[in-house]
Amino acid sequence: MINIFFLLILFASLLGRIKFPGINIGIHYLLLPAFSFGVISLSLKSIPEVVKKHKVILISITLMYLWMWLSSLMSQFPNIAITYSIKYSIYYILFFAFLVLTFNNTNLTFYYRCILYLLQIIAVLGFLEVLLPNHWIFKLLKFPSFYPEIGSIMQNPNQFGVILAIGLCLSLILEKQNKISKIELYVSELIFIISLALSASGNGWLTFMLGMFLLLIYKIISFRKMIYLTSFLFLCIVTIPVSTQKIGLADSKIFPLINVFSENSNLVNPNKKMFNTIIRTSLSRFEIWQAAINETIKNPLTGIGIGVFPEQIGVKVWGHKGYHAHNIFLNVLAEQGIPGLLLFTNFLVKITLKLKYANSLVTVPMIMFLASQMPDFFAEDYIFTTIEFYFIAAGINSRKDFVMQLKPEIIQNFQKSYD
């Protein structure tokens, strides 16, 4: 039954666009905590032990959330800040549910496979969106985007690209640990890389490169494999119009390569719009980072309140609502002040100290999740953050006895990675 609640949590995270009839409340705001409580209710006997074992972690995240609420109550925009505080408090319940779920559970293969399959579905939906952009499922589930790129059913093409890069690395690790078949891996490589190129997400491409580097260090892939996957992604990028525009080759006579085979390039750029290249997008980040620093100087103690930046400050820079500070630390600093940043950093340190016995199945995705939010901030995307919180909980619960149950060749690779 607890596995069913886990699947329901993943499913609920996809429903960010669906509202309850008659009220303007997203259905996922109620379903995610409801299913999380379902997990918790089935694990009541282990809760005292979980609390005792992870007391420091739970105190750290509790203080972080209490300060979030305090800074929201003291915000100049309390309605916005309190609304976002309620939204983000769902993660607190979700995190505890995952912490209970992965506690004393030495066989988490089912959960990792479920996450992988979910990411494969998202990747396929992204590809289908290119072919059928006006299909009813995208009108129902897709968030409005200010970009011409695809975004599948996630909030933004950047989240979409990043989560696919993480999914690709996850599939490579699972195959290395004999938890998925070679065929499943080949399917993952194909759909993840093609859809990653279609996303035109510079952040997703950088996260992909980071993942390849980490897998090489952990000896999950060989140097030859890394070159193969990187070359395949590059080939896809220079073949597709939307990606060649992103890297500044819109006026090239050679690229995109698809023009060699077909004049109907609308299939891979249905919006027919020009958009910022990676260079222009990178430069614009300096403007919004400066805006975050300016707001911190004005409100160094309590910040401007959670959620206020995308609603009020980001609009001045980008011209649209919904733009965070494009850096997780600057966003926390601007919205919750210096104490909020210190509490958040403390939480990250506590997590890191718990990863002594974590293997690459946990550490690689966690590093990629955090690194991808150096030039972005994805907390509002419930698919992204739900999966991220699962990996954090699994990492915290990593134990020496779990490592010893792995196959000998995996143990050897694990030990070598820490030598």
Side-chain angles (χ1 to χ4, degrees), residues 151-302:
S152 186
I153 55 176
M154 301 188 72
Q155 283 188 339
N156 192 283
N158 271 335
Q159 286 98 306
F160 176 65
V162 168
I163 206 71
L164 296 190
I166 294 173
L168 175 63
C169 292
L170 176 62
S171 64
L172 288 163
I173 298 170
L174 287 173
E175 192 279 329
K176 183 69 174 182
Q177 297 185 358
N178 297 317
K179 294 176 180 177
I180 63 171
S181 66
K182 285 282 187 181
I183 295 177
E184 289 176 290
L185 174 62
Y186 296 150
V187 170
S188 291
E189 290 175 345
L190 184 66
I191 62 176
F192 282 141
I193 291 181
I194 292 176
S195 293
L196 176 58
L198 285 167
S199 73
S201 169
N203 193 353
W205 299 341
L206 289 174
T207 303
F208 166 85
M209 294 305 301
L210 173 63
M212 293 296 100
F213 178 71
L214 291 172
L215 294 184
L216 190 63
I217 292 177
Y218 274 96
K219 302 185 185 303
I220 301 298
I221 60 174
S222 64
F223 185 75
R224 178 182 295 181
K225 181 74 170 182
M226 183 184 74
I227 295 299
Y228 162 74
L229 293 174
T230 304
S231 300
F232 182 37
L233 175 62
F234 179 76
L235 177 62
C236 291
I237 289 173
V238 297
T239 301
I240 301 168
V242 69
S243 298
T244 53
Q245 288 183 35
K246 189 69 175 180
I247 61 178
L249 295 176
D251 299 324
S252 172
K253 295 181 180 180
I254 301 175
F255 304 106
L257 295 178
I258 196 173
N259 291 338
V260 177
F261 307 101
S262 173
E263 296 181 358
N264 187 17
S265 60
N266 293 337
L267 289 175
V268 284
N269 189 12
N271 292 278
K272 303 178 185 178
K273 295 180 181 179
M274 298 294 292
F275 53 96
N276 290 337
T277 63
I278 290 179
I279 295 177
R280 292 181 62 186
T281 301
S282 300
L283 291 175
S284 65
R285 275 171 167 76
F286 289 107
E287 296 181 51
I288 207 159
W289 290 344
Q290 183 62 54
I293 293 172
N294 292 339
E295 293 304 317
T296 303
I297 294 172
K298 295 176 185 177
N299 303 276
L301 185 59
T302 59

Side-chain angles (χ1 to χ4, degrees), residues 343-370:
L343 289 170
F344 175 67
T345 305
N346 174 68
F347 178 62
L348 292 181
V349 171
K350 300 301 182 187
I351 293 173
T352 304
L353 295 176
K354 288 283 187 177
L355 297 180
K356 182 178 180 181
Y357 298 112
N359 63 66
S360 57
L361 189 55
V362 172
T363 55
V364 170
M366 285 183 63
I367 293 172
M368 295 174 73
F369 273 117
L370 181 61

